[in-house]
Amino acid sequence: MIASLAFTTPLLLAALAILPILWWLLRAVPPAPVKRRFPGIALLLGLIDDKAQTDTTPWWLLLLRMLAVAAFIIGFAGPVLNPEEDRAGSGPLLIVMDGSWASARDWPARKARVEELLAEAAREGRPAAITLLSDPPAGPLSFQSADAVAATLAGVQPRAWAPDADQVAEWLPRLGDTAFDTVWFSDGLDRDSRADVLAAFEAKGDVSIIETARPIYALKPAVFKDGRISITALRRPAGAAQSMTLSAMGPDPNGAERELATATADFAVGATSTEVLLDLPTELRNRVNRFEIAGLRSAGAVALTDDALKRREVGLLAGRNDQEAQDLLSPLYYLNKALVPTADLIEGSLQDMLLASPDALVLADVATVSGAERDALLDWVDEGGMLVRFAGPRTAAADVESDDPLMPVRLRAGGRSVGGAMSWGEPKALRAFTRDGPFFGLSIPEDVQVTAQVVAQPDPDLAARTVASLADGTPLVTRKSLGDGQIILFHVTANAEWSTLPLSGLFVQMLERLAISTRPATIAAEDLIGTTWVPEETLDAFGVVSDAGDLAGVAGEVLAENPIGAALPPGLYAGEDRRIALNVIASDTTLNASSWPAGTKVEGLSVAQETPLMGALLSAALLLLLLDILATLSLSGKLRGATTAAVVLFAMSALPQQSRAQDDSRAVQATSEVVLAYVKTGDAKLDRVSDEGLRGLSMSLFRRTSVEPADPIMVDLEADELSFFPILYWPIIESQPTPSPEAYAKLNRYLRTGGMILFDTRDGNIGGFGASTPMGRKLQALAAPLDIPALEPIPEDHVLTRTFYLLQDYPGRFTSRDIWVEAAPADAQAAEGLPFRDLNDGVTPVLIGGNDWAAAWARDARGNALYPVGRGFAGERQRELAIRFGVNVVMHVLTGNYKSDQVHVPALLERLGN
């Protein structure tokens, strides 16, 4: 083997040694002529000999013959470029994969390499096993035949978390006593546990590491920084300057997930991280549910967002004007300090703030609210708003004996203070928060003391509505629900006049627990003690977010430790009043490249394709011999026009013919899978729309039905075979040339053998029954030579209305109801008690309309619609009906009038409401 070139019979290369001898022989034969002077030769001057012959063979002709011989020798030696090397060994083979999120990006390539290893092991009769370190098996290591292991490979998928060192350490002793060789597919990231794992495998036999040089990218969780969203992007390894696109994903006003904003992450030369700052309006920011690196399929490239990013709008209103008062005495001063870092604050009149629909309203010592404002405030709370009230001198002096609906409890007049008629004697501390309250787990500073408060009237519901109290049991914070919202009352002032609570960090934490402001980016363990969190969405290794289904809830203590794994997958977890995102990448994560001890065999993931070169070299040798023949004839003067043509034709017939590999592969693809095809019109833009439309329809079929179409194919009516495709989408354009008679013969044969052509004139916005549009006239001209049966407007009981979905309209980008299909037999009758006629089992060979269905079906690789359809929600509904119509058409082509069978009638009648 020479570098990446090997020979199947290398001993034949020894024949190259005879080339110098052959050169000498060809130079020596024929011998050089002997020169003799003969006077009579002068009589021959000017004569031409038709059989002239050179005295010696030219050197370039000898070189040509040497090259031809050398090509024959090397060709028969069996040269192979990039030969596959068989791994040494005859015992069991263990294939270990890290199987983490960092492996997901090139997972298909990893599986392809595993398939090659298992195929090689099967040829050699070696048993094999495959294991993911991210999810090690519970039992002992078990080897099976390589073919049996290969059959399970389709179900092997990466996990959204890295291998857990403790789990791997528990699994290593279960390797057993059997010796085996190991091939370890590394994800390229360094971990402390790698050395122990490598030592355990090396103790069993040879170890080979397969690791890709492809860079790894990741996103840290998004946080607020100086009023903007800060996102840190990571990469490994460092390299040249690079730019990547970050996408902010979330629902649009219609509820469909869209790319809401984009930003560019610029890595400097040699940098492994970069910060991206994004300034989004509050409304748009609150709809963002994740950030991702565009084009990457990896959980590490996705950063889920939670309530830490969704800043709330909080309205503040004080009971008195403090413009001329000192800041520290203002009822809103401490509220501003506590809320401004994590919430968007609104100030103004109560009526104006309600029009802004804030998430919460804080009323500081507002004793009474007028009738009209009270009704509006009650309606706002009932619809889910949060009203937080603080007491004060005005509240204590007001007549609050009656049952005020804007108060969680009834209050006594006058309040309670040190030195008054109801003096406590000394300030009171706070009692520890109860387990069932929102403040459980918060530590109470010793310097938090209350000197005055408003007192609640004793009521049967008082204990249930108390969420915080003083050391003597007096309520400090009370709460009640009202509709979908709630009303909360702090029985002290919002400033330091009645207590030191606003001066402490506990004040901020209590507001956060009440979800008035956004929770901190870092989860404090004490905030989660005694809580339960239910998973709403989970994130897989490829970065796909899906519904969590019926996964069990997680204790807050476990969530605080953040041990992402099988028991706690990354995703979005919901508590009583907020949500927390667990991301694969934490705020302190760093990406370090894996390093291996000296002497460890490390290979790349990609393997060059093995290419035999024998055919190419033998063809080159034949070509050189052809050139030698032509050169010899030329030098001998025997080369004439007819002779040259005959020699060239003979040589061309002797050379290997080019196979129609491309056509064969196209036929194999079209016959091995369901393929939707469209007719080439010659208009590049229209052909692109057709391709995008059928691609989007194929995606919908894959997601909604058991049909799994391959990528659509463009069909040239003049050159391509049509029988491979169940349906042809033919958009009409005025400039399209008329097909040849041979193409029409193929089209008629296609229609007679069960194919369907969907003609789309794309003029549904202007055409109608009997209308003559330019596209309609072109369709008439194109369809005239076709063997099309009698047509009729699609009847209400046609099988297309119920093939998969029950439909009454068939819109595309346009909403015309003018759809034509093959006419039903004149004698078709509906059976007694059934709403459908007894039609034949055939498929309508043509379907004619003008609703521009391809534009409505068209979607990009991310599943986003490419062309507008209608307006707002009505437009999205129109697009959905267009997709359903496309699904019905394909299912009709594939199943015929299957849905007209009697067995389906009860179900259809039930769906129709009969």
Side-chain angles (χ1 to χ4, degrees):
M1 180 174 177
I2 304 174
S4 58
L5 183 67
F7 297 88
T8 57
T9 53
L11 293 179
L12 285 179
L13 296 177
L16 294 174
I18 69 172
L19 291 180
I21 301 175
L22 184 60
W23 176 277
W24 179 80
L25 289 176
L26 292 176
R27 293 289 294 176
V29 178
V34 178
K35 294 182 178 181
R36 294 287 187 268
R37 294 184 178 274
F38 180 59
I41 199 68
L43 300 175
L44 302 179
L45 295 177
L47 298 179
I48 299 176
D49 188 358
D50 293 337
K51 298 182 179 180
Q53 184 175 357
T54 59
D55 56 348
T56 60
T57 303
W59 68 269
W60 54 268
L61 187 58
L62 287 178
L63 179 61
L64 190 67
R65 292 170 178 173
M66 293 298 99
L67 292 175
V69 174
F72 272 116
I73 295 174
I74 297 175
F76 283 115
V80 179
L81 186 64
N82 302 317
E84 296 181 0
E85 295 184 49
D86 291 338
R87 297 181 178 273
S90 57
L93 175 66
L94 174 63
I95 298 176
V96 177
M97 309 181 77
D98 282 340
S100 71
W101 61 268
S103 306
R105 186 183 178 192
D106 47 18
W107 191 252
R110 293 174 184 268
K111 290 180 69 172
R113 187 68 186 278
V114 172
E115 288 178 352
E116 295 175 0
L117 293 174
L118 292 175
E120 179 183 326
R123 290 193 300 268
E124 298 175 354
R126 303 178 67 181
I130 185 169
T131 296
L132 295 181
L133 292 183
S134 57
D135 191 10
L141 183 63
S142 175
F143 290 95
Q144 299 175 297
S145 67
D147 289 335
V149 176
T152 66
L153 187 59
V156 178
Q157 296 294 335
R159 304 297 188 260
W161 51 85
D164 182 80
D166 295 335
Q167 289 185 353
V168 174
E170 293 177 2
W171 173 72
L172 290 178
R174 297 197 291 269
L175 293 177
D177 300 328
T178 304
F180 54 81
D181 295 335
T182 303
V183 178
W184 186 353
F185 284 79
S186 167
D187 60 8
L189 296 179
D190 191 29
R191 297 183 185 88
D192 295 336
S193 59
R194 286 203 183 277
D196 296 336
V197 178
L198 180 61
F201 290 153
E202 288 179 335
K204 299 294 183 180
D206 294 335
V207 178
S208 297
I209 309 297
I210 295 181
E211 189 172 87
T212 178
R214 197 174 189 179
I216 298 175
Y217 302 95
L219 289 181
K220 289 186 176 182
V223 296
F224 273 112
K225 184 177 182 181
D226 298 331
R228 292 182 291 178
I229 300 174
S230 172
I231 313 166
T232 300
L234 308 175
R235 69 172 177 175
R236 193 283 310 164
Q242 184 181 14
S243 296
M244 308 191 73
T245 300
L246 302 187
S247 300
M249 307 298 297
D252 63 11
N254 293 324
E257 187 170 88
R258 291 286 185 269
E259 185 179 66
L260 302 179
T262 60
T264 302
D266 296 315
F267 289 95
V269 177
T272 58
S273 65
T274 183
E275 183 183 27
V276 179
L277 296 176
L278 207 59
D279 190 4
L280 298 178
T282 302
E283 180 183 358
L284 188 63
R285 181 179 64 236
N286 288 344
R287 286 198 272 118
V288 175
N289 55 33
R290 72 180 184 276
F291 293 93
E292 59 184 33
I293 301 177
L296 292 187
R297 299 179 66 240
S298 169
V302 175
L304 300 176
T305 64
D306 53 20
D307 292 344
L309 194 63
K310 295 174 175 58
R311 291 168 60 96
R312 291 176 172 264
E313 290 186 345
V314 179
L316 301 180
L317 182 64
R320 65 180 187 269
N321 190 341
D322 292 292
Q323 292 181 352
E324 297 181 359
Q326 296 181 7
D327 286 341
L328 296 179
L329 299 180
S330 170
L332 302 182
Y333 175 78
Y334 294 99
L335 287 171
N336 272 287
K337 289 292 184 181
L339 297 177
V340 74
T342 54
D344 293 326
L345 303 183
I346 305 173
E347 294 190 32
S349 67
L350 181 59
Q351 185 175 3
D352 291 341
M353 289 192 292
L354 289 176
L355 290 176
S357 298
D359 296 289
L361 275 176
V362 181
L363 305 184
D365 196 19
V366 177
T368 57
V369 180
S370 65
E373 291 180 336
R374 171 178 298 199
D375 293 340
L377 192 56
L378 286 173
D379 291 340
W380 173 79
V381 174
D382 187 69
E383 294 175 358
M386 176 181 290
L387 175 62
V388 181
R389 305 189 65 171
F390 283 84
R394 289 171 175 266
T395 306
D399 182 12
V400 291
E401 294 287 347
S402 60
D403 189 6
D404 186 353
L406 293 178
M407 285 288 185
V409 295
R410 293 188 304 122
L411 301 178
R412 293 179 181 177
R416 183 185 185 194
S417 62
V418 176
M422 301 178 63
S423 175
W424 297 341
E426 61 181 12
K428 296 295 182 181
L430 274 63
R431 175 180 289 181
F433 300 119
T434 58
R435 177 176 293 274
D436 58 350
F439 308 130
F440 178 71
L442 296 181
S443 59
I444 302 175
E446 296 181 357
D447 58 350
V448 174
Q449 294 181 334
V450 175
T451 59
Q453 67 166 160
V454 292
V455 182
Q457 290 278 15
D459 279 321
D461 296 334
L462 180 59
R465 295 183 178 182
T466 300
V467 294
S469 58
L470 300 180
D472 62 357
T474 308
L476 176 66
V477 182
T478 52
R479 177 176 63 174
K480 78 170 182 180
S481 298
L482 181 63
D484 293 332
Q486 54 184 325
I487 300 174
I488 300 167
L489 173 64
F490 281 75
H491 291 235
V492 294
T493 57
N495 57 16
E497 187 176 354
W498 284 10
S499 73
T500 59
L501 178 62
L503 302 177
S504 67
L506 178 62
F507 186 64
V508 179
Q509 292 176 323
M510 293 175 73
L511 293 179
E512 290 169 354
R513 286 293 185 91
L514 293 174
I516 296 176
S517 62
T518 312
R519 74 164 180 86
T522 303
I523 306 173
E526 59 270 17
D527 291 345
L528 301 176
I529 296 176
T531 60
T532 301
W533 300 80
V534 179
E536 288 187 346
E537 296 176 338
T538 57
L539 185 69
D540 68 11
F542 299 101
V544 178
V545 180
S546 58
D547 187 84
D550 56 355
L551 289 180
V554 178
E557 293 83 350
V558 177
L559 196 68
E561 296 175 2
N562 198 17
I564 293 179
L568 187 66
L572 199 61
Y573 291 79
E576 180 181 353
D577 55 4
R578 55 179 169 170
R579 299 189 302 172
I580 293 178
L582 284 187
N583 286 293
V584 172
I585 305 299
S587 57
D588 58 349
T589 299
T590 57
L591 301 181
N592 297 316
S594 57
S595 58
W596 303 97
T600 304
K601 183 179 179 181
V602 180
E603 308 175 17
L605 180 61
S606 60
V607 177
Q609 186 68 30
E610 182 178 274
T611 306
L613 300 178
M614 175 184 288
L617 285 171
L618 295 182
S619 298
L622 290 175
L623 181 61
L624 291 173
L625 290 180
L626 171 63
L627 295 176
D628 176 76
I629 294 173
L630 295 175
T632 301
L633 291 176
S634 177
L635 291 175
S636 63
K638 298 179 180 180
L639 191 62
R640 298 291 186 269
T643 305
T644 303
V647 172
V648 171
L649 288 176
F650 173 77
M652 293 294 292
S653 63
L655 291 176
Q657 298 297 314
Q658 294 293 330
S659 65
R660 302 181 62 182
Q662 183 174 1
D663 294 340
D664 292 344
S665 63
R666 182 187 180 96
V668 169
Q669 177 188 0
T671 54
S672 60
E673 298 180 273
V674 175
V675 178
L676 308 182
Y678 59 95
V679 174
K680 179 181 178 180
T681 64
D683 185 288
K685 181 178 180 180
L686 182 57
D687 290 340
R688 185 180 71 252
V689 174
S690 298
D691 184 84
E692 294 167 343
L694 294 188
R695 195 175 300 274
L697 180 57
S698 298
M699 293 168 60
S700 299
L701 287 164
F702 182 85
R703 294 170 180 171
R704 305 183 185 199
T705 72
S706 59
V707 181
E708 299 181 0
D711 291 338
I713 291 179
M714 182 171 64
V715 170
D716 186 345
L717 297 178
E718 304 294 339
D720 294 329
E721 176 59 45
L722 306 181
S723 60
F724 302 141
F725 311 104
I727 183 172
L728 289 180
Y729 177 76
W730 191 339
I732 304 301
I733 185 173
E734 290 186 88
S735 60
Q736 183 173 2
T738 302
S740 65
E742 292 77 11
Y744 275 119
K746 288 194 296 182
L747 286 168
N748 284 322
R749 184 169 61 251
Y750 173 74
L751 293 175
R752 296 188 190 106
T753 54
M756 174 194 278
I757 300 177
L758 173 55
F759 291 101
D760 190 351
T761 57
R762 303 176 298 107
D763 56 1
N765 57 331
I766 57 175
F769 283 133
S772 180
T773 64
M775 299 302 179
R777 290 191 294 270
K778 184 64 178 181
L779 172 61
Q780 292 176 359
L782 290 174
L786 294 177
D787 185 12
I788 296 178
L791 303 177
E792 66 175 352
I794 185 169
E796 294 181 356
D797 63 345
H798 195 278
V799 71
L800 269 174
T801 64
R802 59 188 185 278
T803 309
F804 193 84
Y805 292 105
L806 294 178
L807 296 177
Q808 296 178 343
D809 297 303
Y810 324 101
R813 197 175 183 192
F814 309 122
T815 57
S816 172
R817 295 176 59 88
D818 304 344
I819 312 298
W820 292 76
V821 296
E822 180 184 7
D827 58 350
Q829 298 292 332
E832 183 177 355
L834 300 181
F836 314 124
R837 287 175 294 174
D838 184 16
L839 303 177
N840 62 349
D841 288 335
V843 174
T844 177
V846 295
L847 189 64
I848 301 176
N851 285 339
D852 196 6
W853 287 290
W857 297 335
R859 293 186 180 275
D860 60 17
R862 302 170 65 88
N864 297 321
L866 292 175
Y867 304 103
V869 174
R871 292 183 179 181
F873 177 78
E876 291 304 316
R877 177 62 180 171
Q878 180 178 330
R879 190 191 305 277
E880 172 62 22
L881 290 177
I883 294 173
R884 293 186 179 188
F885 172 68
V887 172
N888 274 19
V889 170
V890 175
M891 299 302 289
H892 174 53
V893 172
L894 298 179
T895 64
N897 284 353
Y898 163 72
K899 279 297 179 79
S900 288
D901 292 346
Q902 296 281 336
V903 68
H904 299 288
V905 169
L908 291 171
L909 289 176
E910 181 180 357
R911 290 290 305 278
L912 290 171
N914 293 337

